[in-house]
Amino acid sequence: MANSGYYIGLMSGTSMDGIDAALVEISDHGTTRLVQAISHPWPSSLESRLRDQVARKSCTLHEYGELDHLCGQQFALAVLALLKASDMDSDNIQAIGSHGQTLYHHPYPPSPFTLQIGDPSIIAERTGITVVADFRRRDMAAGGQGAPLVPAFHQAIFQHPAKNRVILNIGGIANITLLPASGKAVQGFDTGPGNCLMDLWCTRNTGLPYDEDGDWASRGNPHAGLLQKMLRDDYFQLPPPKSTGTEYFNMQWLEERLEAFPGIPAVDVQATLLAFTASTIEQALRRWAPSTGEILVCGGGIHNLTLLDRLRKLLSPMQVMATDDVDNGMNPDWIEAAAFAWLARQTLAGLPGNLPPVTGASHPVVLGGIYPASGRVS
């Protein structure tokens, strides 16, 4: 296969804890090696504006355009910082795959849409590297939900000929990829909140952006009534393919459920939210992947030791480990960014990047738009 070489993937997820930038080398046979990765912080003022827009679910055209421009600048700076850290020249990079920053994801009829910002023209102009962006909308045009898209990468990197595996990504939203050992189709979907509700509650009550190691949650006791009320949400009854985001699971959603249980100590709410994330993941796996042997975890949630401990207890005898604990694995912090580098290569090679059984699309499609390194016409 052509288009081997070095690629950069850019990812900023629903947690908005920074721009992940990963430099990967992809061989002619598709072998993917992580070369270097960094997390580029959002300027605090821009991060606040982004969080505000997502929470309000609306913005003016002027605000949208300005945020699109500013995010494009930050994605470009992330690339330049990555190149410096890896001592790599831009001429050596085949392309950048930029997911963009999601402001809103609404994959439901009659007018499904998804909105990611971070002007790819600015990224291409500032870096001198071809950019592939706007990955999700082509899948939606083909009847899919535009998410999750990373399972195709999971399949290419982690599928094992003799083991039933699941890749569990715990970001702001948690999602799973079912990788059967046999020739059965790969499946994947969003299980529900990952870190997003825990982070929001922690910020409100402690002033910290997240609960480090899950330590605060470990000191509380889950509230059974609140947990059951959250688990009864309609989303968890839907069959896959399905996807969701923080436009649905947010502080307003949590406050509406807390109204029925006044006076719960804040630390117990945090413990309940952790139990909620673990329970929704467990229920999804028990229902849709009961024969799984290995669960490979990636994303920011890998650092929540209390959450991982709870998952191991709930999911036994399934093995819960990190994505770099297996042969030919990869650092769990950079899986999603590396995936968009891989997806950029798929696009340049004219190959599909979606998995219809995962997204619900009617057929495989080549994803994204290509923004060449040079916009000049000779």
Side-chain angles (χ1 to χ4, degrees), residues 143-162:
Q145 297 216 352
L149 296 181
V150 179
F153 176 69
H154 291 161
Q155 180 182 30
I157 302 301
F158 293 108
Q159 193 163 38
H160 192 281

Side-chain angles (χ1 to χ4, degrees), residues 92-146:
N92 298 122
I93 309 301
Q94 299 286 336
I96 297 165
S98 178
H99 172 270
Q101 179 62 60
T102 297
L103 284 188
Y104 205 95
H105 182 67
H106 181 82
Y108 310 110
S111 302
F113 70 93
T114 190
L115 185 61
Q116 286 78 39
I117 60 171
D119 188 347
S121 292
I122 291 176
I123 304 172
E125 194 68 24
R126 290 286 302 274
T127 65
I129 302 170
T130 293
V131 176
V132 182
D134 192 22
F135 287 93
R136 299 193 180 277
R137 292 200 294 174
R138 185 58 186 269
D139 178 82
M140 296 183 80
Q145 297 216 352

